[in-house]
């Protein structure tokens, strides 16, 4: 009898083999119970923790993800196996593998090629410090590290969200485009633009290939739309028409995509993929005109001052000359009188 047939036979509840079936089931249950207790004992003595459960970073920046693990054999590489993986709604893959002191780069996902390093020195202290450089928005997702040592096995996970930050300036009455682009070529099922400082915070909700005005903030009605409803090349930018100073603020772009399998939808992510700061202000004064006006005024002022000085000198000269004339006349009369 083959192993599969024997197992089917053991699990079969019917016929004259029922007694043998019961005893077999009891034996299997005991084995499973021992396995469960053993795994629980290992989990109790060996733990992998994350320093932070969630990380936030900007595109093109770098970040360090950190885990810690307990071990009784700190300081040795004996039976140390680490495998760190990345998972998102559209892809998954290995980003780092370490076995007994050696790195195994061949299994690394191409998305992270040349961008992931580990601090080997702190591994001996039971710490995993994974450095990811030149971050991309597509790096957003779940990061898991499985650790196996002679003391046991466990794993820890954390989430990383990478956003793009943009600053845009506009003047009242302009039409502006707030950029947002998907981190992959997977089309969005839902696009959500919000402004956190408003209540309700919905600027635009686009789903079922059309805008959904329900719960939209009144100030944006009939003034917003997607730049491209077909979302060609992952473009989900927002067009905002006839802006006013009250439109100034922080705008956040979120997307809702299907799972990589395409069979179900992923929950709307809570973290934005793009953050746009819009500043709407009246146009400043023309610097050239202001400079010309200032130069002209300064020139006129100098002329007036010079004119006043000349007048004052002339008046002073007239006064001095008149005084000298009177003095001379007085001196001429004095000898004649004698």
């Amino acid at each position: 009898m083959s192993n599969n047939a024997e197992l089917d036979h053991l699990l079969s509840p019917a016929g004259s083999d029922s007694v043998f079936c019961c005893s077999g089931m009891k034996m299997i249950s005991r084995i499973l119970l021992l396995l469960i207790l053993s795994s629980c004992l290992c989990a109790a003595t060996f733990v992998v923790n994350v320093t932070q459960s969630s990380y936030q970073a900007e595109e093109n920046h770098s970040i360090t993800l950190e885990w810690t693990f307990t071990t009784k054999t700190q300081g040795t590489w004996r039976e140390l196996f680490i495998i760190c993986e990345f998972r998102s709604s559209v892809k998954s893959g290995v980003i780092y593998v370490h076995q007994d002191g050696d790195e195994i780069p061949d299994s690394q996902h191409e998305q992270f090629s040349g961008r992931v390093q580990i601090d080997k020195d702190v591994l001996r202290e039971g710490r995993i410090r994974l450095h990811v450089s030149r971050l991309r928005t597509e790096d957003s997702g779940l990061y898991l590290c499985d650790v196996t040592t002679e003391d046991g096995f466990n794993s820890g996970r954390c989430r990383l969200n990478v956003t793009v930050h943009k600053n845009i300036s506009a003047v009242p009455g302009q039409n502006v485009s707030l950029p947002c682009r998907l981190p992959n070529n997977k089309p969005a099922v839902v696009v959500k633009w919000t402004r956190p400082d408003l209540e309700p915070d919905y600027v635009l909700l686009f789903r079922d290939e059309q805008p959904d005005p329900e719960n939209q903030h009144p100030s944006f009605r009939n003034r917003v739309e997607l730049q491209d409803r077909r979302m060609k090349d992952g473009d989900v930018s927002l067009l905002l028409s006839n802006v006013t100073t009250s439109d100034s603020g922080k705008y956040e772009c979120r997307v809702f995509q299907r799972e990589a399998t395409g069979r179900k939808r992923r929950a709307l992510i809570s973290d934005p993929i793009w953050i746009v700061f819009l500043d709407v202000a009246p146009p400043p004064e023309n610097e050239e005109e202001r400079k010309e006006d200032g130069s002209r005024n300064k020139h006129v002022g100098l002329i007036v001052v010079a004119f006043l000085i000349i007048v004052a000198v002339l008046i002073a000269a007239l006064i001095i000359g008149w005084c000298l004339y009177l003095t001379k006349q007085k001196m001429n009369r004095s000898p004649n009188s004698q």
Side-chain angles (χ1 to χ4, degrees):
M1 183 181 294
S2 66
N3 291 336
N4 291 337
E6 184 179 1
L7 181 60
D8 291 338
H9 179 72
L10 289 174
L11 295 178
S12 175
S16 58
D17 296 330
S18 58
V19 175
F20 181 71
C21 172
C22 292
S23 61
M25 289 295 292
K26 288 180 180 179
M27 181 178 67
I28 293 173
S29 298
R30 289 172 182 172
I31 293 173
L32 291 174
L33 181 61
L34 287 173
L35 290 174
I36 292 171
L37 290 174
S38 299
S39 63
C40 290
L41 183 60
C42 289
T45 57
F46 184 78
V47 179
V48 175
N49 292 316
V50 290
T51 304
Q52 291 180 220
S53 60
S54 180
Y55 292 83
Q56 186 79 31
E58 291 186 37
E59 187 184 41
N60 295 321
H61 287 204
S62 299
I63 197 166
T64 299
L65 310 178
E66 188 167 351
W67 292 260
T68 60
F69 58 92
T70 56
T71 175
K72 298 175 184 177
T73 56
Q74 292 181 359
T76 70
W77 296 112
R78 186 181 177 187
E79 295 184 14
L80 174 61
F81 179 74
I82 299 170
I83 179 169
C84 297
E85 298 177 276
F86 162 78
R87 297 178 187 175
S88 71
S89 62
V90 293
K91 67 176 72 173
S92 61
V94 174
I95 62 172
Y96 182 80
V97 178
H98 181 100
Q99 184 172 11
D100 300 333
D102 296 320
E103 296 180 349
I104 306 176
D106 294 341
S107 58
Q108 187 180 59
H109 193 283
E110 60 182 2
Q111 175 179 323
F112 296 91
S113 178
R115 298 195 297 123
V116 176
Q117 291 183 329
I118 198 167
D119 190 346
K120 288 187 177 181
D121 293 337
V122 298
L123 282 176
R124 302 176 185 276
E125 304 169 7
R127 293 167 61 197
I128 302 171
R129 301 185 77 242
L130 207 61
H131 309 287
V132 186
S133 61
R134 304 188 304 277
L135 289 170
R136 311 167 184 171
T137 53
E138 61 183 326
D139 294 337
S140 296
L142 196 64
Y143 288 75
L144 305 89
C145 273
D146 298 332
V147 183
T148 303
T149 71
E150 59 186 351
D151 298 319
F153 163 83
N154 214 316
S155 63
R157 62 181 61 194
C158 63
R159 179 168 291 278
L160 170 64
N161 182 51
V162 182
T163 57
V164 180
H165 287 205
K166 291 290 183 181
N167 296 309
I168 293 180
S169 298
V171 297
Q174 269 190 328
N175 298 335
V176 298
S177 174
L178 307 185
C180 183
R181 189 170 294 278
L182 300 178
N184 48 65
N185 293 325
K186 195 78 174 175
V189 178
V190 175
V191 178
K192 178 184 176 185
W193 277 92
T194 59
R195 247 185 71 183
D197 60 318
L198 298 180
E199 183 61 42
D201 65 351
Y202 278 81
V203 175
L204 174 71
L205 180 63
F206 190 88
R207 61 183 174 186
D208 299 325
E209 301 182 353
Q210 62 183 353
D212 184 350
E214 186 177 359
N215 297 323
Q216 184 184 39
H217 194 277
S219 66
F220 295 104
R221 286 176 185 165
N222 303 317
R223 291 202 302 130
V224 292
E225 61 178 331
L226 284 188
Q227 184 164 295
D228 184 357
R229 290 193 175 196
R230 295 175 298 174
M231 308 177 199
K232 186 178 179 181
D233 298 325
D235 186 4
V236 290
S237 301
L238 179 75
L239 287 180
L240 177 57
S241 62
N242 194 25
V243 296
T244 65
T245 54
S246 62
D247 290 327
S248 297
K250 182 173 75 170
Y251 293 77
E252 298 180 345
C253 174
R254 293 172 170 82
V255 295
F256 180 74
Q257 294 178 292
R258 294 188 185 279
E259 289 281 4
T261 60
R263 291 182 295 179
K264 60 181 180 178
R265 292 182 177 181
R266 175 174 172 262
L268 189 63
I269 61 175
S270 59
D271 297 320
I273 57 174
W274 281 62
I275 297 177
V276 182
F277 297 91
L278 176 63
D279 179 28
V280 182
E285 295 179 13
N286 188 296
E287 293 295 331
E288 287 297 324
E289 290 181 1
R290 185 167 61 184
K291 183 177 180 181
E292 290 176 2
D293 290 344
S295 299
R296 190 184 306 115
N297 291 337
K298 183 178 180 181
H299 184 61
V300 171
L302 290 174
I303 293 174
V304 171
V305 171
F307 176 76
L308 292 176
I309 292 173
I310 292 171
V311 171
V313 170
L314 290 174
I315 293 174
L318 289 173
I319 293 174
I320 294 172
W322 180 252
C323 291
L324 291 173
Y325 173 76
L326 293 178
T327 302
K328 186 177 181 181
Q329 290 294 326
K330 186 176 180 181
M331 291 175 64
N332 289 336
R333 284 197 300 267
S334 296
N336 295 332
S337 62
Q338 294 176 354

